[in-house]
Amino acid sequence: MATTIDAPARTGHVAETTPYAWPWNGALDATRTAVLVIEAPGEAGDVDHEYVRNAEVVVATLRRGGGAAIRVLTRRASATRPFAGASSAFADEGTGEIPTDDTVVSRGVDGFFGSPLETVLRQARIERLILVGAWLETSVHSTMRTANDMGFECLLVVDACAPGDADLVANSVSMIEMSGGIFGAVGTTARVVEAYAREEGERA
Amino acid sequence: MATTIDAPARTGHVAETTPYAWPWNGALDATRTAVLVIEAPGEAGDVDHEYVRNAEVVVATLRRGGGAAIRVLTRRASATRPFAGASSAFADEGTGEIPTDDTVVSRGVDGFFGSPLETVLRQARIERLILVGAWLETSVHSTMRTANDMGFECLLVVDACAPGDADLVANSVSMIEMSGGIFGAVGTTARVVEAYAREEGERA
Amino acid sequence: MATTIDAPARTGHVAETTPYAWPWNGALDATRTAVLVIEAPGEAGDVDHEYVRNAEVVVATLRRGGGAAIRVLTRRASATRPFAGASSAFADEGTGEIPTDDTVVSRGVDGFFGSPLETVLRQARIERLILVGAWLETSVHSTMRTANDMGFECLLVVDACAPGDADLVANSVSMIEMSGGIFGAVGTTARVVEAYAREEGERA
Amino acid sequence: MATTIDAPARTGHVAETTPYAWPWNGALDATRTAVLVIEAPGEAGDVDHEYVRNAEVVVATLRRGGGAAIRVLTRRASATRPFAGASSAFADEGTGEIPTDDTVVSRGVDGFFGSPLETVLRQARIERLILVGAWLETSVHSTMRTANDMGFECLLVVDACAPGDADLVANSVSMIEMSGGIFGAVGTTARVVEAYAREEGERA
């Protein structure tokens, strides 16, 4: 017995991702993909506007293609030692908030910690995550590590993630790429846009 | 009204920890401290025996002082892509297993993921964690990040943690030290031993 | 060596709890005790005002004694089947909101599911929970079961928990009392107030 | 554009489930369904062999149909109060262990607590759970409540779940059926077998 269904979403990969072609199975399917816009309000640092602009482009492209974007507000876990920083991240640096479909608030550096993020993603049947935001070495890295353990395949968009310390970018990326991509893959804004951009009226 | 109790455990700090004197409140108390011996059996790499010897010394010192040691077996999360490595970590490289008080098995790179580690620590009323094992950038880092979100104050013993890539050690440490110790502090075997060593017959 | 500290908080038990005298170790200590005011807004049912008044008294007594009260908003997990009910619980039935120190929102019937409740309790060093709210058989029971697994010792205040179905009250209580109190103990508003009430100016 | 795929698994419902026809969407698909055989070794009680025989039949039928069976070993959370019971559940009462595909061990009454159960189910892409085992009011109920919050649609097989107290069976079932099936549905061994039985050589 056989049946007829609509064609699945366009397949392929985001070009030039390292250390492997992401997603591993070629199923780009925006409707099963979410962008996490990770932010750590109150943590120290000046964000280069370029990162925010790239994050906005990634978010807008995915949403036009049928994907979801979720703002993930993280925070320093400990209240026992004083905060090092004061000024804030993506949201407070003058470009305004990036529009997303939902917002979750975590109680740690990891966006999943004490937050409904996992259940939000499971209910939406999300399989793949694209990560943008701040800070690369802290909240973005912690969230990506946990997401990967949970079975979500992750793509870090390196030029849309603001580093706390620019000297740590190369090694932050190396850690993800270890062992053939132990936490997922790394790509760039331009290639993500290419892969997920849709013509006017084209179906997701 | 007042009452009389036994003196609390010796106070102080582990010397020369960065970026702050660990533990923050000076309560060394070995009975509320656990060493996590993190391992990733099956993941690639040759371990320099020096790291294993240091881990053994840290474990033995804490246990003599009344602390616990827990072996944490982690593993790569995804089964969708092939394993990069084959040979194994601390346990398999010829020195034999480090004796611990308990073993937990996780289902991810993070030792807390799908494991009873949190409840084991809570039931033992542990407040502080000392981390040794392999690999520094992957399982050790992920476990330390989650432990910190959970409120356990962490000390990474850098010369008792085998790196997957020696070039990443400095930056792995820098990430922990960001923002005044966002994931805890970093110290060395010699200083941990100094702080926790007990005379023969001395109480913990 | 010995030292002198302030006396610990008043000890004893809440009278007439079943199936054992709660708390097991006689440490009432309000500063390590939290009342959870559990609510399921949107779930069906009329609440007898008596339950709400009792919950208010429990909350006020604990807070005066130095304890915390946390409002826990739960919700039905599934969106796949239509909601059976419409009218709401404690909050919406005309008595106004019970004043608490904090509010957490969960993503399931269990107040811990997808919520920061555990980390809120851990950070406040809470050891004991007193449960009031709605509905006894669903959100209150699920939250109590998980709290007990986490190691919090629980007391259900049966005349401050609104049942969804009055015929199920006796058996809901029996389930908690199985095996010597598998999920904790059960008591009444009057006895909780007696145990935790403080004279004007008396220390917690 | 259209494509041709193999027919999906047989659809329909398990007959006579309450309070709604399970599964809600008619997708029986054994390959996305797992039986949880929940046990609480060491907890008190004599198990009527009838429950064990029914559990065996459910497990064997699902496995023949392409489904998985997972043994879930739970335990009393608290070590602070003495155990009420001694003899054990399903496994120890003389019928021998029910063969399953995997075993997970939890650290609480809830089979998900401190265990890899969620990640085992997610990796196997399980969507539906059929619950059998002991004890109905404690481990089975707690596991079912959490599973439902996680988004797994649950069916309790009432004549394959041993009650700790036979007087509580009716109300344990009523709690699941509240609000149109707040924790899932309830059915019987005979009807589950009917729905999932496959002819010799028939595809799942």
Side-chain angles (χ1 to χ4, degrees):
Chain A
M1 187 166 76
T3 186
T4 297
I5 59 166
D6 276 356
R10 191 194 293 174
T11 59
H13 298 93
V14 175
E16 294 172 26
T17 59
T18 54
Y20 71 93
W22 186 96
W24 71 275
N25 63 356
L28 286 169
D29 191 358
T31 64
R32 296 290 175 93
T33 306
V35 186
L36 302 186
V37 183
I38 300 166
E39 305 194 43
E43 278 291 333
D46 289 321
V47 177
D48 185 323
H49 284 210
E50 186 70 14
Y51 296 113
V52 181
R53 275 191 298 271
N54 286 338
E56 284 175 327
V57 171
V58 170
V59 166
T61 302
L62 263 288
R63 293 180 82 202
R64 259 197 311 271
I70 301 168
R71 195 169 177 236
V72 181
L73 300 180
T74 67
R75 64 172 210 178
R76 184 161 188 158
S78 169
T80 55
R81 284 164 285 128
F83 245 85
S87 79
S88 106
F90 272 50
D92 298 354
E93 47 80 72
T95 66
E97 223 173 85
I98 297 174
T100 57
D101 300 290
D102 202 350
T103 297
V104 301
V105 179
S106 92
R107 292 276 178 146
V109 175
D110 178 351
F112 287 97
F113 189 76
S115 92
L117 182 53
E118 182 181 7
T119 193
V120 165
L121 297 174
R122 300 285 186 205
Q123 285 180 1
R125 308 182 73 84
I126 296 298
E127 298 177 354
R128 273 169 303 284
L129 298 177
I130 295 176
L131 291 92
V132 302
W135 305 99
L136 172 62
E137 309 91 326
T138 57
S139 293
V140 176
H141 233 273
S142 286
T143 305
M144 185 171 184
R145 286 165 179 259
T146 297
N148 179 70
D149 273 351
M150 288 175 172
F152 299 104
E153 191 185 5
C154 295
L155 179 66
L156 179 100
V157 187
V158 66
D159 56 356
C161 290
D165 177 346
D167 291 343
L168 300 180
V169 173
N171 283 7
S172 293
V173 166
S174 296
M175 284 182 197
I176 294 166
E177 296 174 345
M178 292 179 80
S179 304
I182 194 165
F183 300 124
V186 180
T188 60
T189 299
R191 297 297 163 256
V192 170
V193 168
E194 235 171 62
Y196 280 99
R198 290 283 173 270
E199 306 295 323
E200 202 63 43
E202 186 181 3
R203 67 181 292 282
Chain B
M1 186 166 75
T3 189
T4 297
I5 59 164
D6 276 356
R10 191 194 293 175
T11 58
H13 297 95
V14 176
E16 294 172 25
T17 59
T18 54
Y20 72 93
W22 186 97
W24 72 275
N25 63 355
L28 285 170
D29 191 358
T31 64
R32 296 291 176 92
T33 307
V35 187
L36 302 187
V37 183
I38 299 166
E39 305 193 45
E43 277 292 332
D46 289 320
V47 176
D48 185 323
H49 284 209
E50 186 70 14
Y51 296 113
V52 181
R53 277 192 296 272
N54 286 339
E56 283 175 327
V57 171
V58 169
V59 166
T61 303
L62 262 288
R63 294 181 80 202
R64 260 197 311 273
I70 301 168
R71 194 169 178 239
V72 181
L73 301 180
T74 66
R75 65 172 211 181
R76 182 161 190 159
S78 170
T80 54
R81 282 164 285 127
F83 246 85
S87 78
S88 106
F90 271 49
D92 298 355
E93 48 81 72
T95 66
E97 225 172 85
I98 298 175
T100 58
D101 301 289
D102 203 352
T103 297
V104 301
V105 178
S106 91
R107 293 275 178 147
V109 175
D110 178 351
F112 288 96
F113 188 76
S115 92
L117 183 53
E118 182 181 8
T119 193
V120 165
L121 298 173
R122 300 285 184 203
Q123 285 180 1
R125 306 181 73 83
I126 296 300
E127 297 177 353
R128 274 169 303 286
L129 298 176
I130 295 176
L131 291 93
V132 302
W135 305 99
L136 172 62
E137 309 92 326
T138 56
S139 293
V140 176
H141 233 272
S142 286
T143 305
M144 185 171 185
R145 286 165 180 258
T146 297
N148 178 71
D149 273 351
M150 288 174 171
F152 299 104
E153 192 186 2
C154 294
L155 180 67
L156 179 100
V157 188
V158 65
D159 56 355
C161 290
D165 177 345
D167 291 343
L168 300 180
V169 173
N171 283 7
S172 292
V173 167
S174 296
M175 283 181 199
I176 294 166
E177 296 174 345
M178 291 179 79
S179 305
I182 194 165
F183 300 124
V186 180
T188 60
T189 299
R191 298 296 163 258
V192 170
V193 167
E194 233 170 62
Y196 279 100
R198 290 286 175 265
E199 306 295 323
E200 200 61 44
E202 186 182 0
R203 68 180 290 283
Chain C
M1 188 167 74
T3 189
T4 297
I5 59 164
D6 277 356
R10 189 194 295 174
T11 59
H13 296 95
V14 175
E16 294 172 25
T17 59
T18 54
Y20 72 94
W22 187 97
W24 71 275
N25 64 355
L28 285 170
D29 190 359
T31 64
R32 296 291 175 92
T33 306
V35 187
L36 302 187
V37 183
I38 299 165
E39 305 193 45
E43 278 292 333
D46 289 321
V47 176
D48 185 322
H49 283 209
E50 186 70 13
Y51 296 112
V52 180
R53 275 191 298 271
N54 287 338
E56 283 175 328
V57 171
V58 170
V59 165
T61 302
L62 263 288
R63 294 180 81 202
R64 259 198 311 271
I70 300 168
R71 194 168 179 238
V72 181
L73 301 180
T74 67
R75 65 172 211 179
R76 183 163 190 156
S78 170
T80 53
R81 282 165 286 127
F83 245 86
S87 77
S88 106
F90 271 50
D92 299 355
E93 48 80 71
T95 67
E97 224 172 86
I98 298 175
T100 57
D101 301 289
D102 203 350
T103 298
V104 301
V105 179
S106 91
R107 292 276 178 147
V109 175
D110 177 351
F112 288 96
F113 188 76
S115 92
L117 183 52
E118 182 181 9
T119 194
V120 165
L121 298 173
R122 301 284 185 204
Q123 285 180 1
R125 306 181 73 85
I126 296 301
E127 298 177 353
R128 273 169 303 286
L129 298 177
I130 295 176
L131 291 92
V132 302
W135 305 100
L136 172 62
E137 308 92 327
T138 57
S139 294
V140 176
H141 233 273
S142 286
T143 305
M144 185 171 186
R145 287 164 180 258
T146 297
N148 179 71
D149 273 350
M150 288 175 172
F152 299 104
E153 192 185 2
C154 294
L155 180 66
L156 179 100
V157 188
V158 65
D159 56 355
C161 289
D165 176 347
D167 291 343
L168 300 179
V169 173
N171 283 7
S172 293
V173 167
S174 296
M175 283 182 199
I176 293 166
E177 297 174 343
M178 291 179 80
S179 305
I182 194 166
F183 300 124
V186 180
T188 61
T189 298
R191 298 295 164 256
V192 170
V193 167
E194 233 170 62
Y196 278 100
R198 290 287 175 266
E199 306 295 322
E200 199 63 43
E202 187 181 0
R203 69 180 290 282
Chain D
M1 187 166 75
T3 187
T4 298
I5 59 167
D6 277 356
R10 191 194 294 174
T11 58
H13 298 93
V14 176
E16 295 172 26
T17 59
T18 53
Y20 71 93
W22 186 97
W24 71 275
N25 64 356
L28 286 170
D29 190 358
T31 64
R32 296 291 176 91
T33 306
V35 187
L36 302 187
V37 182
I38 299 167
E39 305 195 43
E43 278 291 333
D46 289 321
V47 177
D48 184 323
H49 284 209
E50 185 70 14
Y51 296 113
V52 181
R53 275 191 297 271
N54 286 338
E56 283 176 327
V57 171
V58 169
V59 166
T61 303
L62 262 288
R63 293 180 83 203
R64 259 197 310 271
I70 301 169
R71 196 171 177 235
V72 181
L73 301 180
T74 66
R75 65 173 211 178
R76 184 160 187 158
S78 170
T80 55
R81 283 164 287 128
F83 245 85
S87 78
S88 105
F90 272 50
D92 297 356
E93 47 81 72
T95 65
E97 222 173 87
I98 298 175
T100 57
D101 301 289
D102 203 350
T103 297
V104 302
V105 179
S106 92
R107 293 274 179 146
V109 175
D110 178 350
F112 288 96
F113 188 75
S115 93
L117 182 53
E118 182 182 6
T119 192
V120 165
L121 298 174
R122 300 285 186 205
Q123 285 180 1
R125 307 182 74 85
I126 297 299
E127 298 177 353
R128 274 168 303 284
L129 297 176
I130 295 176
L131 291 92
V132 302
W135 305 99
L136 172 63
E137 309 91 327
T138 56
S139 294
V140 176
H141 232 273
S142 286
T143 306
M144 186 170 184
R145 286 165 180 259
T146 297
N148 178 70
D149 273 351
M150 287 175 172
F152 299 104
E153 191 185 4
C154 295
L155 179 67
L156 179 101
V157 187
V158 66
D159 56 356
C161 290
D165 177 346
D167 291 343
L168 300 180
V169 173
N171 283 6
S172 293
V173 167
S174 296
M175 284 181 198
I176 294 165
E177 297 174 344
M178 291 179 79
S179 304
I182 193 166
F183 300 124
V186 180
T188 60
T189 298
R191 297 295 164 256
V192 170
V193 168
E194 234 171 63
Y196 279 99
R198 289 284 174 268
E199 305 295 323
E200 200 64 42
E202 186 181 3
R203 68 180 292 281

